[in-house]
Amino acid sequence: MKKRVIMITDGDLYALKAVEHVAKEIGGRCISQSWGNPSKMSGEELVSMILSTPYDPVLVMFDDCGYRGEGPGERAMREVCNHPDVEVLGAIAVASKTHLAEWTKVDVSIDRFGELSAYGVDKSGLPDMEFGRLDGDTVYILDELDIPFIVGVGDIGKMAGIDHAERGSPITRQAIELILERSGQHESEKGKGNTDQKENR
């Protein structure tokens, strides 16, 4: 059975505390060693840790700290996403004030007030003017990977203190729960499709 993974494009200390808190709350596991700005763990090392944990889902952080081109975080992300024993349920694309104009398409964004939007958000978690896209440091590779659902958020663990771990990181939790909810719908639709095919035979 494949390990279910949610990718998060942020790896600083605030993000670590937020993701660890939410993982514990939902009964999942954060790969704490994946934190770093930039990422220090290779894709191979992360896969080994993902496959060894009994918890589900597994939350993994990736961060390039503004590295030009494909940095270590994005290389690791590609390796994890393409591993045959890993099922990536979705990704949380984290906004930043990038100078390199990296961006990715998002299916939905959550602003710092918990409102869903078809537009992107900025680092502070405030609504942006870009429809269906978000600017960030470690995000452009998401468009190249087969990720079923991408949620855009502001800077995890921050957003003017609203997403701080001491407050329960509500925006991070909402994003993770939304990905889990959509992955469940996706599985239900696949199962329904299979049933319909059988009935039509």
Side-chain angles (χ1 to χ4, degrees):
M1 186 174 179
K2 292 186 176 185
K3 296 297 291 188
R4 305 194 312 158
V5 167
I6 295 174
M7 295 178 159
I8 299 149
T9 69
D10 194 6
D12 66 15
L13 191 56
Y14 287 94
L16 171 65
K17 290 180 178 179
V19 175
E20 282 183 331
H21 175 81
V22 175
K24 187 181 294 185
E25 289 286 305
I26 66 171
R29 171 60 57 90
C30 166
I31 301 297
S32 299
Q33 295 93 325
S34 67
W35 91 281
N37 189 250
S39 296
K40 300 176 181 67
M41 306 294 291
S42 70
E44 184 178 353
E45 290 171 319
L46 290 173
V47 167
S48 177
M49 293 179 192
I50 290 166
L51 298 183
S52 67
T53 179
Y55 295 88
D56 177 84
V58 185
L59 313 180
V60 189
M61 295 171 286
F62 303 86
D63 199 323
D64 275 344
C65 195
Y67 188 94
R68 185 179 293 275
E70 184 170 302
E74 286 164 330
R75 280 196 297 274
M77 199 183 301
R78 188 188 299 277
E79 290 177 40
V80 170
C81 193
N82 291 334
H83 196 279
D85 295 325
V86 169
E87 178 188 3
V88 176
L89 302 181
I92 299 176
V94 179
S96 68
K97 293 179 181 176
T98 178
H99 299 294
L100 301 178
E102 275 193 25
W103 63 275
T104 183
K105 294 189 291 289
V106 293
D107 293 289
V108 68
S109 293
I110 305 173
D111 68 22
R112 74 188 195 193
F113 308 108
E115 298 294 325
L116 301 185
S117 173
Y119 291 83
V121 291
D122 65 14
K123 183 175 181 175
S124 299
L126 295 174
D128 206 348
M129 299 299 292
E130 297 284 356
F131 184 83
R133 59 178 274 178
L134 175 139
D135 297 322
D137 282 336
T138 319
V139 298
Y140 89 92
I141 193 173
L142 295 176
D143 287 341
E144 300 178 11
L145 302 175
D146 185 21
I147 298 176
F149 194 66
I150 300 176
V151 180
V153 298
D155 206 354
I156 284 183
K158 300 177 186 175
M159 299 183 229
I162 292 171
D163 197 50
H164 199 282
E166 290 180 0
R167 294 190 178 185
S169 302
I171 306 306
T172 300
R173 177 164 184 158
Q174 187 177 349
I176 289 169
E177 289 179 339
L178 186 57
I179 290 171
L180 291 172
E181 178 187 316
R182 290 301 178 99
S183 72
Q185 288 179 359
H186 179 63
E187 289 301 314
S188 296
E189 287 166 5
K190 285 201 301 187
K192 182 176 182 297
N194 291 340
T195 303
D196 290 345
Q197 286 176 1
K198 289 177 182 176
E199 289 175 351
N200 291 334
R201 282 177 184 168

